[in-house]
Amino acid sequence: MTISLPCFLLFASLLVITRAHNTDQNFNAIFSFGNSLADPGNFIRLARGVLPYDVFEHLPYGVTYFGQPTGRASDGRLVIDFIAQDQDFPLIPPYLSQGQNFSKGVNFAVIGAPALSLDFFQQRNITGFLPVDTSLNVQLGWFEQLKPLLCNTTQSCQDYFSKCLFVLGEFGGNDYNLALFSGKSVSEAKSYIPVVIDTIRQAAESLLKQGALHIVIPGNFPTGCIPILLTIFASKNKLDYDNLGCLKEYNTIGFDHDTKLKEMVAQLQNTYPQAKISYADYYEPVIQFLQNPMKFGFTVNDPLQICCGGGGPYNYNPNATCGQPGVPACSNPLSYVNWDGIHLTEAAYRIIATGWLKGPYAYPPILSGYH
Ligand SMILES: *[C@@H]1O[C@H](CO)[C@@H](O)[C@H](O)[C@H]1NC(C)=O
Ligand SMILES: *[C@@H]1O[C@H](CO)[C@@H](O)[C@H](O)[C@H]1NC(C)=O
Ligand SMILES: *[C@@H]1O[C@H](CO)[C@@H](O)[C@H](O)[C@H]1NC(C)=O
Ligand SMILES: *[C@@H]1O[C@H](CO)[C@@H](O)[C@H](O)[C@H]1NC(C)=O
């Protein structure tokens, strides 16, 4: 994204245009909402004193990049971290870290956060990861509370937010997983898709009305390729699996969600033509990693095998999960797609981030129109 100096001097005649565009591509700040795919440390702060033992506060979480746990659910950086670094920003701090410098943005994402409220799940006897509401609207409320620190008047906020990047998600994965883990059927989980999509749409519209012009809305993973689900919902019937070893029926959850999400994003883009609203794909890159792992540098024999876990067919053992005492990690996380049974490795997130920034995994790519 940065123009190298010799190139800059060589094409001196393009100086004016280049500088104008170069200014455009640098955002004022980045605001992130979401769940474990984006949380840089909010969950561990909420969980202190609530959970007796929080795996995310323990190595080997964080081992690759930070050398210590940060609350990120991976061995290293997440997609949002790579986006911040592409902008030459510091890593965007978690909202719940008091005394942090929010001048380049704030990250409101919380591990386990669903799109829908705690009430929605309690009414259905579905229990969350924490007895605390961390859903999308709660995160938007945090954003509202913080706003006076960022800008004072409607107009100054519009101006400020128009030059910020908003990453809204991924949301939905936890809504469906919480249902499945509580024994609900796939069709019940899928019945939440319309209300999940509508909740994401309302959040995006709220940001657009406050002046946002750059919004990225990520979709879901291929649900049936998640090693935790492959372990819990293992089937003896070979016909239940596709040629990648994923559970076909479960994959339809992520697929149907993403289809509806893309439609919603297209409608929103029509309604707000002055804004740039990108659909960002987690589904297709994960499928590609599983189809052709070597092409992406994933040299592990079976790309569904996870790096950090206590044994079992996918190395995911619900009784010995990553971060628990004595549970080992592989020595080469770079060679693995999946870190702990649900979250990806830093290596996988890096490839996805590049695909969101420059293509082909975001529509349109975050940096498109700025070169
Ligand atoms: C906050 O961060 C910005 C940009 O990273 C920096 O310019 C500024 O000096 C920092 N402020 C404080 C109080 O550290
Ligand atoms: C939730 O659980 C309670 C107590 O077991 C039961 O009475 C109720 O019918 C359940 N509700 C739903 C929606 O499953
Ligand atoms: C908000 O207003 C106060 C007083 O008018 C000013 O000192 C402060 O810098 C403003 N904050 C922002 C973020 O513009
Ligand atoms: C986990 O522990 C439970 C209860 O102790 C046991 O029934 C189950 O078989 C264990 N699962 C695995 C995969 O070891």
Side-chain angles (χ1 to χ4, degrees), residues 108-329:
F108 301 97
V110 185
I111 292 172
L116 305 177
S117 70
L118 196 60
D119 281 356
F120 178 91
F121 296 102
Q122 285 175 341
Q123 281 157 17
R124 289 162 179 78
N125 284 349
I126 298 170
T127 42
F129 299 103
L130 281 182
V132 179
D133 196 340
T134 58
S135 61
L136 177 47
N137 282 331
V138 169
Q139 294 181 26
L140 277 181
W142 290 347
F143 174 66
E144 282 300 321
Q145 281 175 21
L146 191 77
K147 240 167 82 173
L149 270 181
L150 307 169
C151 53
N152 282 334
T153 64
T154 306
Q155 190 56 49
S156 71
C157 289
Q158 294 262 343
D159 290 346
Y160 179 66
F161 294 144
S162 73
K163 299 187 197 78
C164 292
L165 178 69
F166 292 84
V167 182
L168 188 54
E170 173 273 327
F171 279 103
N174 285 321
D175 301 73
Y176 314 129
N177 287 342
L178 289 174
L180 296 173
F181 296 153
S182 297
K184 307 286 186 191
S185 66
V186 169
S187 63
E188 161 120 15
K190 283 164 77 166
S191 72
Y192 307 161
I193 291 175
V195 56
V196 165
I197 301 291
D198 201 54
T199 304
I200 300 170
R201 182 190 59 74
Q202 286 176 33
E205 285 215 79
S206 157
L207 297 173
L208 288 160
K209 285 180 178 146
Q210 296 182 66
L213 288 179
H214 303 271
I215 303 189
V216 175
I217 306 186
N220 275 0
F221 281 151
T223 321
C225 305
I226 298 173
I228 293 183
L229 277 87
L230 284 163
T231 304
I232 297 176
F233 303 114
S235 168
K236 290 196 166 61
N237 186 351
K238 282 205 165 85
L239 294 175
D240 290 339
Y241 295 88
D242 67 14
N243 59 345
L244 299 175
C246 305
L247 284 162
K248 284 191 266 189
E249 192 195 8
Y250 288 85
N251 262 357
T252 64
I253 302 173
F255 188 86
D256 289 4
H257 167 96
D258 286 353
T259 303
K260 292 276 184 269
L261 188 67
K262 286 177 213 171
E263 287 170 16
M264 184 276 277
V265 168
Q267 283 165 8
L268 213 52
Q269 182 63 81
N270 275 337
T271 313
Y272 295 87
Q274 75 284 11
K276 179 177 158 189
I277 309 168
S278 298
Y279 171 79
D281 207 342
Y282 274 117
Y283 193 104
E284 184 57 27
V286 170
I287 294 291
Q288 290 181 10
F289 298 161
L290 300 178
Q291 272 170 342
N292 200 349
M294 295 296 274
K295 179 183 164 191
F296 299 95
F298 300 118
T299 51
V300 59
N301 281 335
D302 171 5
L304 287 172
Q305 285 287 317
I306 71 174
C307 172
C308 183
Y314 304 91
N315 194 30
Y316 175 78
N317 178 350
N319 295 336
T321 64
C322 189
Q324 287 178 352
V327 175

Side-chain angles (χ1 to χ4, degrees), residues 90 101 103-104:
N101 185 339
S103 73
K104 287 297 178 186

Side-chain angles (χ1 to χ4, degrees), residues 324-344:
Q324 287 178 352
V327 175
C330 64
S331 59
N332 50 342
L334 265 175
S335 311
Y336 284 73
V337 176
N338 198 291
W339 167 245
D340 62 1
I342 187 157
H343 309 105
L344 306 186

